[in-house]
Amino acid sequence: MAEVSLERRSLTYVSIVHGLIHVLELAYGVVLVAVAAELGTSLLVLGVLANVFGFAYGLTALPVGVLADRMSETRLLAVCSLGMGVAAVAVSLSHGVVLLGVSLALLGVALGLFHPVATAFVARTATRTGLGFAYLGTGGNLGLALGPIMVGAIASGLGWRFAYAGFAIPCVILGLLILRLPQRIRVVTPIAGAPVEDKSFAVLRPFLVPLGLVVLANVMNGLVYRGVVTFMPTHLSAAVQSPIAGLDPVMLGGSFTTVALLFGVAGQFTGGYLSDRRRREALGLIALGVSAPALLGVWAFGGVALLGAAALFAFFHFMSQPVFNALIADYCPDCWRGRMYGIYFFCSFGVGSFSASGLGYVAEAQGVPAVFLVCAAMGVIATLFIVVLLVRTLRRAKAA
């Protein structure tokens, strides 16, 4: 009973940190208009800063994935949460493009500690893997959904710097709470006389093709994700008229983005719940097969229809995340999971960060709506990788 209580408490802490991760991740997109006005710079330059932030976010996943296989996950998660608080304060104190870029890079490094460690932690400790990922993802999506409106409200009333500084406080509190958890949770005691687990690359080799297909799909998904979270608030604030005249554009963009991303909370939990009950490759195909066309609606529609398309995208895009996380656990031996999740999240956040610069150029040259047309094309490519994975899996199942 005490073990179950400890599992629930640890998953609760980690899920809340996941929410804070995505609040701070989306904050930059929400305050983009205010930052541009204060610093007097272009969307292209701000897109490059988002690229710096996103690349640091993703690059950190590689070394941290190795550490997750060798160190206490709870200690690494505590360092992540405390580091987020310090970096958020640094962003709030930054004046000028260069200092802002350095502070965003530091924040990206702090945020990048989380995903490989937390995902390996859930894969190793949750009694029901899919449900564990559902709770972890739901915490993250609540941050994604509620973050924009909370950041927008603080920024419109007190300024964008206070938005970053305010969220530093719960980060530090959660970091201190996680430090009180045991260093290892639900560690299985080796059975006397059992063979020593092979930790060489040879045990991973049979799974390289399916893992590669999941990672390639995730690269495209990461490019889509970074573009959407960077430019969605700006697009919605311009394309959807507010019923309240004179509403601050930062608050407006944050509010509409929250409305859309709340559907991602339901999608995240649905994906995790179903991944314990249905073929995960098929669920991934459904999620990507709907989210890519939904982005065409974000590009083409206006008003309420645009909000509907954004909500449809959010539901199915975030439905894919726990499914992909569980697929990595399916195809990866336990001793390689930390490193594999490190590679996986580097591809998602690190490689995906380059879409911020590229799509910043698209937004500058063709207008912000064109960003979502390009994202839809990348979503189609991601879908094709999962089609190959599903066909391969079905053929092998039939042969067996």
Side-chain angles (χ1 to χ4, degrees):
M1 194 71 178
E3 188 177 73
V4 174
S5 176
L6 178 60
E7 179 185 341
R8 289 176 179 171
R9 182 154 48 96
S10 61
L11 281 174
T12 299
Y13 290 165
V14 174
S15 298
I16 295 172
V17 173
H18 195 192
L20 290 170
I21 288 274
H22 289 299
V23 170
L24 290 172
E25 182 193 9
L26 260 67
Y28 183 70
V30 174
V31 302
L32 203 65
V33 174
V35 174
E38 180 177 324
L39 301 183
T41 189
S42 67
L43 286 176
L44 175 58
V45 172
L46 294 177
V48 171
L49 292 186
N51 194 159
V52 170
F53 165 73
F55 187 73
Y57 188 3
L59 185 63
T60 308
L62 288 175
V64 172
V66 176
L67 293 177
D69 285 331
R70 301 180 180 181
M71 293 179 60
S72 163
E73 291 128 332
T74 56
R75 294 301 176 265
L76 289 171
L77 290 168
V79 170
C80 166
S81 191
L82 293 170
M84 287 159 51
V86 173
V89 172
V91 173
S92 72
L93 298 175
S94 298
H95 293 275
V97 172
V98 174
L99 285 177
L100 180 60
V102 172
S103 298
L104 285 171
L106 292 174
L107 181 60
V109 169
L111 301 185
L113 293 169
F114 181 80
H115 283 91
V117 179
T119 311
F121 176 75
V122 172
R124 288 170 174 154
T125 63
T127 306
R128 296 172 61 187
T129 304
L131 196 59
F133 282 132
Y135 286 125
L136 180 69
T138 298
N141 265 85
L142 283 172
L144 281 168
L146 300 177
I149 194 168
M150 292 190 293
V151 171
I154 296 171
S156 62
L158 300 173
W160 67 269
R161 298 179 187 279
F162 280 90
Y164 277 99
F167 282 103
I169 298 171
C171 291
V172 172
I173 292 173
L174 262 295
L176 295 175
L177 287 173
I178 293 172
L179 276 176
R180 299 181 63 185
L181 293 173
Q183 291 195 36
R184 294 285 181 186
I185 298 175
R186 293 180 63 87
V187 177
V188 178
T189 304
I191 300 172
V196 177
E197 184 180 14
D198 184 359
K199 297 183 179 181
S200 70
F201 182 74
V203 300
L204 189 64
R205 190 174 289 117
F207 307 102
L208 288 179
V209 172
L211 285 172
L213 289 169
V214 176
V215 168
L216 286 170
N218 199 48
V219 168
M220 304 312 300
N221 236 12
L223 292 168
V224 171
Y225 174 78
R226 181 58 52 200
V228 169
V229 299
T230 301
F231 294 103
M232 180 74 85
T234 301
H235 179 50
L236 292 180
S237 67
V240 183
Q241 295 300 312
S242 170
I244 305 175
L247 187 65
D248 183 87
V250 175
M251 183 62 185
L252 182 65
S255 300
F256 287 145
T257 302
T258 289
V259 171
L261 291 180
L262 276 172
F263 287 85
V265 177
Q268 185 85 238
F269 191 84
T270 300
Y273 179 81
L274 291 177
S275 68
D276 278 334
R277 291 163 173 77
R278 297 290 185 269
R279 185 179 291 277
R280 289 164 179 168
E281 294 86 353
L283 289 173
L285 179 58
I286 292 169
L288 295 183
V290 177
S291 63
L295 284 171
L296 291 175
V298 176
W299 164 66
F301 299 153
V304 176
L306 167 57
L307 275 177
L312 187 67
F313 163 78
F315 182 92
F316 284 97
H317 177 82
F318 290 107
M319 175 182 165
S320 72
Q321 290 187 356
V323 175
F324 280 16
N325 288 342
L327 281 171
I328 294 292
D330 285 344
Y331 291 117
C332 187
D334 179 74
C335 60
W336 274 86
R337 282 179 182 169
R339 283 165 284 184
M340 197 64 233
Y341 281 123
I343 294 169
Y344 174 79
F345 286 110
F346 167 72
C347 290
S348 178
F349 298 130
V351 177
S353 70
F354 287 98
S355 71
S357 294
L359 294 174
Y361 172 78
V362 171
E364 196 76 24
Q366 303 294 328
V368 174
V371 165
F372 301 94
L373 180 61
V374 177
C375 286
M378 293 188 289
V380 170
I381 297 172
T383 305
L384 294 177
F385 287 122
I386 299 302
V387 169
V388 174
L389 177 66
L390 178 59
V391 170
R392 181 182 184 274
T393 302
L394 292 176
R395 284 179 176 174
R396 290 188 167 237
K398 184 178 181 181

